[in-house]
Amino acid sequence: MKAYFTNYIQQLQATLGSVPTEQLEHILEKFKDAAAKEQQVFTFGNGGSAMSASHFVTDLGKGSSDKMTKRFRCISLNDNVGWLTALGNDYSYDDIFVRQLMNLARPGDLAFTMSVSGNSPNLVKAVEWAKQNGVYTIALLGGQRGALTNLVDYPVVIDSKHYARVEDVHMSICHMISFAFIEHPLG
């Protein structure tokens, strides 16, 4: 098993090494602008990406905001289990994010999603609605790219198709963004 773990770590390091840091600067600026303009930030995803979306909002809402003049107005659309299950039951699982955005999002807000496949119907539907309603969209994606690559305003593709490694790198990007505010206060 040592060889397996060593190989996994080496491949994870290679995947991390391929992160396009110039794209992270753009994302950081979008988050900085959202905070300065008191725009709402929405995060969402499925499975492991759902947990990363929740984790990211925690880091932004607490740690990052504690270092800023204007705090982040942020929410993970994964966190209201009652609302999620009502939407899934009464409409469709494809509607669990878009219907929340319909209630909460305003033009100028920021929708941030993560998806290894880039093809989840509930993410695609939410991004389509967001774009039609003036909400800026960012997606962290895996090497499969998927439909979200061409839908969002700003895609960041991690060139791997290994679910765990892509999710590891997505969470690392979320940490880099939130800790940029914590370790280098930007406003």
Side-chain angles (χ1 to χ4, degrees):
M1 287 309 292
K2 181 180 178 183
Y4 166 78
F5 292 128
T6 300
N7 183 54
Y8 188 99
I9 291 169
Q10 289 171 343
Q11 290 187 23
L12 178 58
Q13 288 171 330
T15 305
L16 269 169
S18 71
V19 171
T21 53
E22 65 283 352
Q23 288 188 287
L24 302 187
E25 290 181 48
H26 175 79
I27 295 171
L28 185 67
E29 286 302 314
K30 284 305 213 181
F31 276 87
K32 182 179 176 183
D33 288 347
K37 295 176 182 173
E38 298 181 349
Q39 295 163 327
Q40 184 73 45
V41 175
F42 302 98
T43 65
F44 52 101
N46 292 302
S49 297
M51 296 299 91
S52 294
S54 294
H55 186 148
F56 187 32
V57 160
T58 300
D59 289 343
L60 289 173
K62 183 196 166 291
S64 298
S65 288
D66 285 349
K67 298 290 185 172
M68 300 175 65
T69 305
K70 291 191 177 181
R71 302 180 71 81
F72 279 106
R73 295 180 62 245
C74 54
I75 187 170
S76 170
L77 300 181
N78 295 100
D79 290 344
N80 189 328
V81 176
W83 199 0
L84 281 172
T85 57
L87 293 170
N89 183 64
D90 296 346
Y91 299 106
S92 161
Y93 189 73
D94 294 355
D95 290 337
I96 63 171
F97 300 127
V98 69
R99 289 199 173 257
Q100 290 184 73
L101 289 174
M102 287 175 180
N103 283 51
L104 300 170
R106 295 182 179 148
D109 286 343
L110 174 60
F112 180 90
T113 190
M114 291 171 269
S115 176
V116 177
S117 74
N119 285 317
S120 300
N122 58 357
L123 304 180
V124 169
K125 196 168 188 177
V127 165
E128 288 173 338
W129 183 92
K131 296 224 9 155
Q132 291 167 0
N133 289 277
V135 176
Y136 190 82
T137 56
I138 298 172
L140 302 184
L141 303 160
Q144 295 173 359
R145 299 183 192 296
L148 287 173
T149 305
N150 296 317
L151 286 176
V152 296
D153 293 304
Y154 202 76
V156 176
V157 176
I158 303 306
D159 196 20
S160 173
K161 294 179 182 175
H162 190 277
Y163 270 74
R165 281 190 281 277
V166 172
E167 288 178 350
D168 288 342
V169 172
H170 285 176
M171 193 63 237
S172 293
I173 290 170
C174 290
H175 275 144
M176 285 187 264
I177 298 301
S178 59
F179 275 80
F181 290 99
I182 294 168
E183 295 174 347
H184 301 281
L186 302 168

